Amino acid sequence: MIRHRAGEFDAAELLYETALALDPDDADILCAYAYLLETARQAFDAAELHYEEALANDPHHEQTIVNLAHFYEVVRGDPERAAALLERLR
């Protein structure tokens, strides 16, 4: 995550992929990697896939819920889907 924040996207991506190879079900890693794919790579389909996988592994993962809701609203233009997802936080 530090490399991601520092703008070292290639290094961050390699670290996320390595971490997922070791623990493919970790919602924190999946969410962080999805965020990198969304924001730094504009790889929207891959980002959505990783966000959804994170939620499948941990349906109450708050950061994933927030990020994916934002993704649905801003990237996919689907505010209803975003609002429905945010209901999980109540």
Side-chain angles (χ1 to χ4, degrees), residues 57-71:
N57 293 335
D58 183 353
H60 305 290
H61 193 265
E62 290 182 14
Q63 190 61 57
T64 302
I65 292 169
V66 169
N67 287 7
L68 185 55
H70 180 265
F71 179 89

Side-chain angles (χ1 to χ4, degrees), residues 30-49:
L30 287 162
C31 180
Y33 188 33
Y35 184 76
L36 176 127
L37 292 169
E38 174 190 353
T39 60
R41 301 290 191 222
Q42 286 76 50
F44 300 127
D45 291 340
E48 186 172 17
L49 178 73

Side-chain angles (χ1 to χ4, degrees), residues 42-90:
Q42 286 76 50
F44 300 127
D45 291 340
E48 186 172 17
L49 178 73
H50 283 80
Y51 282 137
E52 290 176 350
E53 191 173 341
L55 277 187
N57 293 335
D58 183 353
H60 305 290
H61 193 265
E62 290 182 14
Q63 190 61 57
T64 302
I65 292 169
V66 169
N67 287 7
L68 185 55
H70 180 265
F71 179 89
Y72 285 154
E73 184 164 355
V74 174
V75 175
R76 297 295 189 215
D78 192 345
E80 292 82 17
R81 192 171 181 191
L85 183 60
L86 289 172
E87 286 295 317
R88 291 189 189 191
L89 297 176
R90 294 180 187 229

